[in-house]
Amino acid sequence: PGPRMESLPEAVLIRILASIPAVDLVLACRLVCCQWKNLVDGAALWILKCQQEGLTGAESQENAENWQNFYFLSKKRKNLIKNPCGEEDLQYWGEVENGGDGWKIEELPGDFGKEFPSEEVHKYFVTSYEWCRKAQVIDLRAEGYWEELMDTTQPKVVVRDWYAGRSDAGCLYELCVKLLSENEDVLAEYKSETITIPQDNDANWTEISHTFSDYGPGVRFVRFEHGGQDTLFWKGWYGVRVTNSSVTVEP
């Protein structure tokens, strides 16, 4: 008979375990024996899995304190905002305020507009002559970010949005993002200033971003709200344009 698994050098055993799907490592392999539990709970196995799957590279990642959480967060990373570019009209956007003629979805680049920096974005939302606002509330647990992870690891919550005016009209833009508790108490908040884009602007798209970190335990929801209007009060859709909104949970 060949050598038993427990007699293998630890480095060899780590390489064998690294070939097993991550969920099986946590739910099954770590229950086999004390040695396997220590390996699954240790850093070496997860560093190897990250290297094998191309999840290392940035210097901040090299200093990740909990490589298991880093692995799962990296694999799960996705935009939690649904319908960020208006491909599904206003679906998934709640608490919609339709000032003036209300929200409208248009094709890029639009009248007196510019193409978006990414070829993957084809549409945008545009506001009218009174304030238009819309919001999404993201349920972190429903998206797979468990309570202990949010309370203990407190991964970064990164928010991004893109806005632009049309070159023949001035407009206003605002962004407000809140981290909420189970009872929807506000635990952390980012609110931009009211950004004014003058008439006769260059119509270029601008990214705005904010990163929440060290926000404390209890975060269960993210509420994302943005909006704006034009400053000329012209009937129709001459207000700020927004698209490619995103909320990501990152290591």
Side-chain angles (χ1 to χ4, degrees), residues 12-23:
V12 175
L13 185 53
I14 285 174
R15 289 199 167 273
I16 294 172
L17 291 174
S19 66
I20 298 173
V23 172

Side-chain angles (χ1 to χ4, degrees), residues 6-233:
E6 59 264 28
S7 68
L8 292 174
E10 189 170 280
V12 175
L13 185 53
I14 285 174
R15 289 199 167 273
I16 294 172
L17 291 174
S19 66
I20 298 173
V23 172
D24 293 332
L25 286 174
V26 174
L27 297 183
C29 293
R30 73 185 299 273
L31 305 179
V32 170
C33 63
C34 289
Q35 182 190 23
W36 284 30
K37 178 181 183 298
N38 291 335
L39 291 178
V40 173
D41 290 346
L45 171 60
W46 297 100
I47 290 173
L48 180 58
K49 284 190 73 67
C50 287
Q51 291 171 342
Q52 289 176 341
E53 299 182 36
L55 301 180
T56 58
E59 284 111 26
S60 61
Q61 296 171 5
E62 299 299 329
N63 297 322
E65 293 181 5
N66 189 325
W67 281 90
Q68 185 182 132
N69 282 345
F70 173 81
Y71 176 88
F72 280 108
L73 285 168
S74 297
K75 295 290 284 187
K76 286 178 62 66
R77 185 171 359 194
K78 64 175 182 176
N79 186 4
L80 301 177
I81 293 284
K82 296 179 174 63
N83 186 26
C85 304
E87 295 290 349
E88 300 170 84
D89 198 51
L90 283 170
Q91 188 172 359
Y92 303 114
W93 291 97
E95 303 177 55
V96 177
E97 180 180 343
N98 281 307
D101 287 322
W103 286 97
K104 184 183 180 185
I105 290 89
E106 295 180 345
E107 298 273 350
L108 280 156
D111 293 340
F112 296 90
K114 294 281 183 67
E115 289 288 357
F116 193 77
S118 169
E119 295 181 355
E120 297 177 358
V121 178
H122 305 289
K123 295 183 179 182
Y124 58 84
F125 303 91
V126 58
T127 59
S128 190
Y129 59 86
E130 291 179 350
W131 272 96
C132 297
R133 292 183 174 89
K134 58 188 177 69
Q136 280 192 39
V137 176
I138 298 162
D139 183 337
L140 293 170
R141 281 176 300 192
E143 296 291 345
Y145 299 99
W146 57 98
E147 294 182 3
E148 183 183 1
L149 176 74
M150 297 306 301
D151 293 347
T152 305
T153 303
Q154 295 178 33
K156 291 181 290 187
V157 178
V158 181
V159 179
R160 296 183 177 90
D161 201 20
W162 288 82
Y163 65 90
R166 46 185 290 162
S167 60
D168 63 339
C171 58
L172 305 175
Y173 166 82
E174 287 183 357
L175 171 67
C176 180
V177 185
K178 299 176 181 179
L179 304 186
L180 306 177
S181 70
E182 179 77 34
N183 298 320
E184 299 191 5
D185 298 320
V186 178
L187 302 180
E189 180 177 6
Y190 168 75
K191 187 171 185 179
S192 73
E193 61 181 350
T194 300
I195 297 170
T196 302
I197 301 175
Q199 193 173 5
D200 301 320
N201 66 86
D202 59 14
N204 285 333
W205 286 92
T206 299
E207 184 184 38
I208 183 172
S209 65
H210 179 75
T211 299
F212 292 97
S213 59
D214 300 322
Y215 39 76
V219 172
R220 301 292 178 263
F221 302 95
V222 180
R223 185 182 185 279
F224 179 103
E225 179 187 296
H226 62 181
Q229 67 170 89
D230 78 30
T231 53
L232 300 173
F233 303 100

